[in-house]
Amino acid sequence: MRKETRKAVIAGNWKMNMTPSQAKTLIEELKPLVAGKNGCEVIVCVPFVDLTTAVEAVKGSDIKVGAQNVHFADKGAYTGEISAAMLKEVGAEYVVIGHSERRQYFGETDVTVNQRVTAAVRAGLKPILCVGELLEQRDQGITAEIVSLQTKIALSGITAEEMKQIIIAYEPVWAIGTGRTATAEQAEEVCAVIRDVLKGLYGEEIAEAVTVQYGGSMKPGNAAELLAKTNVDGGLIGGASLVAKDFAAIVDAAN
């Protein structure tokens, strides 16, 4: 991490876990564990039904709240979807966009990810944009090409000023929910590729200020090694974010 030029961010992606009452309990347990840890931003990205509860529960702390997806339309006949304006009004500040599970199970593409990012930033939300390669793509030696393409398409039409609102999370799909983790060197290599893409799109000053997270099975046991790398500015945490002491340990590593 280079905290002198960009913000370290540890964000928990709860996925489809935690009822509202469970969300309140987890946040209340987490609050004292991360109090005063101002070396990084702490975010909990919760299911839609937990948002109101989470926004209320984090009061009195520095914990921020995010959603896990957003639709690209302002409103309309999109049964089951949630707009950026809806998220803003309930108090969400961040939103995860383009997670591999959304791409894999719900048909999201690089183009619709771009539409969602655009809708989010123009509503004043801060996207956590996810990019990453499949195992077969890594084995084919095309990780850099895949991640570069995903990043460029997702950011199409996004201005340099809007880029200041966006976090990018490198998520090697083969390391999500599998127990496998990229080595610190592999994570650093791809995060550096992402930053090079940003330099090409927006120039060095903007690129150096963007937070690039690692999102593939970061845990208390490997967080410090990953976060020690120059271009790894935080983590998008899955399973470990559901256990307060584990999530807090990762926050400690970022501090």
Side-chain angles (χ1 to χ4, degrees), residues 10 218-228 232 237 249-251 253-254:
I10 302 297
M218 185 182 284
K219 303 179 180 71
N222 61 22
E225 183 183 11
L226 287 161
L227 294 168
V232 180
I237 316 301
I250 298 171
V251 171

Side-chain angles (χ1 to χ4, degrees), residues 64-250:
K64 309 297 185 183
V65 175
Q68 296 176 12
N69 198 23
V70 64
H71 198 264
F72 44 77
D74 293 335
K75 59 183 178 179
Y78 301 101
T79 301
E81 292 295 326
I82 306 292
S83 73
M86 294 173 183
L87 296 181
K88 279 290 288 183
E89 188 160 320
V90 298
E93 185 172 339
Y94 290 86
V95 58
V96 178
I97 297 177
H99 192 279
S100 64
E101 290 158 1
R102 297 297 312 175
R103 297 176 191 251
Q104 179 180 356
Y105 300 127
F106 304 105
E108 294 190 16
T109 67
D110 293 333
V111 172
T112 61
V113 167
N114 169 246
Q115 293 171 331
R116 294 171 200 273
V117 170
T118 300
V121 295
R122 293 180 184 167
L125 293 169
K126 299 173 183 176
I128 299 174
L129 165 64
C130 301
V131 297
E133 83 283 19
L134 302 170
L135 179 59
E136 53 264 39
Q137 292 167 335
R138 173 161 282 276
D139 289 343
Q140 290 166 355
I142 58 173
T143 292
E145 290 90 336
I146 293 295
V147 171
S148 296
L149 185 64
Q150 288 177 338
T151 303
K152 289 176 182 178
I153 296 174
L155 296 176
S156 178
I158 296 297
T159 68
E161 190 63 29
E162 289 169 337
M163 192 64 224
K164 295 175 183 178
Q165 293 177 239
I166 299 173
I167 294 169
I168 299 181
Y170 166 51
E171 289 198 313
V173 180
W174 47 273
I176 299 169
T178 63
R180 296 180 61 179
T181 309
T183 65
E185 290 71 25
Q186 288 171 323
E188 167 66 12
E189 180 182 12
V190 183
C191 289
V193 167
I194 293 168
R195 205 171 304 283
D196 282 342
V197 170
L198 296 177
K199 287 177 185 176
L201 293 174
Y202 301 106
E204 186 163 358
E205 183 178 353
I206 294 290
E208 286 296 325
V210 173
T211 296
V212 181
Q213 299 174 310
Y214 173 69
S217 296
M218 185 182 284
K219 303 179 180 71
N222 61 22
E225 183 183 11
L226 287 161
L227 294 168
K229 294 299 181 181
T230 300
N231 287 291
V232 180
D233 307 315
L236 182 60
I237 316 301
S241 70
L242 300 174
V243 181
K245 64 179 179 57
D246 288 349
F247 189 60
I250 298 171

Side-chain angles (χ1 to χ4, degrees), residues 14-26 46-47 49-50 241-243:
W14 290 7
K15 307 190 180 184
M16 195 176 71
N17 293 288
M18 299 292 167
T19 65
S21 61
Q22 291 170 333
K24 181 179 180 180
T25 298
L26 178 55
V46 307
V49 297
D50 293 346
S241 70
L242 300 174
V243 181

